[in-house]
Amino acid sequence: MRTENLMEESEVNILHTYNRFPVVLDRGEGVYLYDVEGKKYLDFAAGIAVNALGYHYPGYDEALKEQIDKLMHVSNLYYNEPVIEAGAKLVLASRMSKVFFTNSGTEAIEGALKAAKKYAYTRDGHAGHEIIAMNHSFHGRSIGALAVTGTAHYREPFEPLMGGVRFANFNDLESVKAQITDRTCAIITEVVQGEGGIYPADQEFLEGLRQICDEKDIVLIFDEIQCGMGRTGHYFAWQGYGVKPDVMTCAKALGSGVPVGAFVLNEKLAKSSLEPGDHGTTYGGNPLVCAAVSKVFQIFERDMILAHVQELTPYLEGKLDEIVDNYDCVAGRRGKGFMQGLVIQDRPVGEVINRALENGLLVISAGSDVLRLVPPLVITTEHVDEMIEKLKKSLE
Ligand SMILES: *Cc1c(COP(=O)(O)O)cnc(C)c1O
């Protein structure tokens, strides 16, 4: 009753851009969520790969409350300590050079594209450069990020978008080479495609991109918004490949619950791209969100979150592979670390997800037929077992 009333009220006032699940979430505890009726859910969606530490992780809330009592927002016209500390931690984790904090993933992409364009503009003395992006990629909903998102039906109603974008096929180096012109200034790709259906990059693909970009002085941008911040068992997925980008974007789990993103530049780009006046944000990297970022890095180190993901991944993958072996409607598994997808056949993936919800398990979809599992990074074997039991019930 309560749920239905709230759903109705939501539809009155909130623009209907999401077909939401019929549940009103109320509070979280550990890796569980509770709805307004008191029903408990095991959360293997984590706010779409945001809540890396689950809910009320020891020390996290306290750090934020302390910062609220001190200072929540000041303008970027002034220095503040939380952003200085958060920036140092992100530079250390990425071994890159300089950070710009944003409010979201899509804004991080906008900044990364601007940095690449400005780098080429400075080098060549003129604008008019092109960017190569991948089919089935997802980079966000603002106009620039949408322009490099490789799903035509997301883009079409909003065209003309940012011009000069060419699309190649993910994991197909020849198709990338075919799109290169003397105007190409950047290649942008996820390291593990998320929304497109959980496709990890091949080692040779990333190495090949790095080589092409080195040869032609093209800026290599890795979008780590979903696959970064420990999800693959490394701070950033590219670190597992040993292929370093010139520019990296992150968001989602960066603040593990507060709206914050960032683009991070290597030394070459930091020295010769965006200058005072070229870019800005009112909220980006304010003291509140940066206190969260610093605390997240501190907790990752203190509680060895990356090692935990690496240790538990074989168990999770093994259990999911058993599902693939035992259920005809599950055609395969793809993924890295705690970013896993099961390919569903013979029935809509949405049907399985709705049944999982009824059975007290939150999972989401990716692409047209993939059931996506992006749990908090702090799950244990017991949570994996519970997920598997609930998933089995939902597949029967
Ligand atoms: C979610 C996502 C984005 C967009 O982030 P928002 O915070 O929703 O703007 C961009 N790239 C990837 C890979 C994502 O998963």
Side-chain angles (χ1 to χ4, degrees):
M1 211 39 226
R2 180 107 197 269
T3 298
E4 278 167 28
N5 290 344
L6 286 164
M7 281 169 59
E8 257 172 49
E9 195 178 337
S10 173
E11 296 306 333
V12 170
N13 297 306
I14 307 296
L15 191 66
H16 190 100
T17 58
Y18 283 92
N19 290 319
R20 296 176 210 270
F21 294 106
V23 54
V24 184
L25 294 172
D26 186 44
R27 63 190 177 89
E29 195 55 59
V31 297
Y32 294 92
L33 283 163
Y34 297 81
D35 69 17
V36 290
E37 319 271 354
K39 184 174 169 181
K40 184 178 180 181
Y41 303 87
L42 176 63
D43 184 14
F44 266 59
I48 315 188
V50 167
N51 296 299
L53 301 173
Y55 306 92
H56 308 299
Y57 194 85
Y60 178 84
D61 294 9
E62 292 81 353
L64 279 164
K65 285 174 184 169
E66 205 176 294
Q67 191 58 46
I68 287 172
D69 287 338
K70 241 175 133 180
L71 183 65
M72 272 176 63
H73 178 80
V74 286
S75 158
N76 279 314
L77 295 170
Y78 310 97
Y79 294 96
N80 70 76
E81 284 190 344
V83 72
I84 295 165
E85 193 186 334
K89 286 188 152 69
L90 183 47
V91 163
L92 183 66
S94 62
R95 304 290 197 279
M96 293 180 74
S97 182
K98 291 216 167 31
V99 179
F100 183 103
F101 285 106
T102 66
N103 303 290
S104 66
T106 202
E107 273 181 89
I109 296 291
E110 298 293 328
L113 298 176
K114 280 179 75 176
K117 280 172 175 268
K118 183 71 195 300
Y119 173 79
Y121 172 87
T122 305
R123 180 193 59 204
D124 298 346
H126 63 79
H129 293 90
E130 295 174 348
I131 292 164
I132 298 173
M134 303 302 144
N135 287 315
H136 304 297
S137 64
F138 181 82
H139 298 295
R141 302 293 196 155
S142 53
I143 294 289
L146 196 55
V148 292
T149 286
T151 306
H153 72 88
Y154 284 166
R155 295 195 309 269
E156 268 167 19
F158 308 103
E159 282 169 351
L161 300 165
M162 176 183 76
V165 179
R166 294 162 169 267
F167 286 95
N169 293 330
F170 188 66
N171 279 339
D172 179 352
L173 208 54
E174 292 309 313
S175 82
V176 176
K177 286 181 183 162
Q179 297 301 327
I180 291 179
T181 72
D182 53 9
R183 290 170 166 266
T184 308
C185 75
I187 298 174
I188 181 168
T189 185
E190 292 151 273
V191 177
V192 182
Q193 284 193 334
E195 303 302 314
I198 315 293
Y199 289 95
D202 296 337
Q203 182 72 32
E204 310 77 60
F205 181 63
L206 294 191
E207 283 175 5
L209 290 182
R210 184 64 275 175
Q211 198 184 343
I212 293 168
C213 289
D214 286 341
E215 281 167 14
K216 300 187 183 293
D217 197 24
I218 293 169
V219 176
L220 183 57
I221 305 171
F222 285 164
D223 180 349
E224 288 269 346
I225 290 168
Q226 187 160 159
C227 60
M229 288 310 287
R231 188 145 295 282
T232 66
H234 303 271
Y235 266 122
F236 302 104
W238 56 262
Q239 292 169 326
Y241 292 81
V243 178
K244 199 168 181 174
D246 301 301
V247 179
M248 167 182 86
T249 57
C250 51
K252 290 200 163 88
L254 179 61
S256 295
V258 295
V260 60
F263 61 94
V264 190
L265 307 179
N266 70 1
E267 206 177 333
K268 183 173 89 172
L269 269 283
K271 277 204 175 119
S272 181
S273 62
L274 301 173
E275 296 174 280
D278 280 338
H279 200 56
T281 164
T282 299
Y283 273 131
N286 87 2
L288 180 67
V289 299
C290 283
V293 172
S294 285
K295 197 67 201 181
V296 168
F297 279 114
Q298 211 180 319
I299 289 169
F300 268 55
E301 296 299 319
R302 183 190 73 192
D303 297 348
M304 298 189 286
I305 303 293
L306 302 182
H308 174 70
V309 174
Q310 286 173 15
E311 275 164 27
L312 196 57
T313 292
Y315 187 77
L316 173 64
E317 291 186 337
K319 288 284 172 184
L320 292 174
D321 286 341
E322 280 174 27
I323 297 255
V324 176
D325 290 342
N326 291 318
Y327 290 82
D328 289 342
C329 62
V330 184
R333 176 186 67 79
R334 289 192 296 264
K336 271 194 183 292
F338 289 4
M339 185 170 179
Q340 296 286 340
L342 293 177
V343 183
I344 305 296
Q345 62 184 8
D346 304 333
R347 68 182 77 172
V349 63
E351 201 178 292
V352 181
I353 291 170
N354 286 330
R355 292 197 59 194
L357 183 82
E358 284 165 24
N359 293 325
L361 170 68
L362 298 187
V363 287
I364 46 181
S365 64
S368 57
D369 61 353
V370 175
L371 185 143
R372 172 170 32 166
L373 301 142
V374 284
L377 305 185
V378 296
I379 52 162
T380 62
T381 49
E382 288 74 31
H383 298 128
V384 174
D385 292 345
E386 189 185 339
M387 176 275 288
I388 292 290
E389 283 316 304
K390 289 183 149 82
L391 188 59
K392 281 181 180 167
K393 252 173 91 183
S394 313
L395 288 166
E396 259 141 31

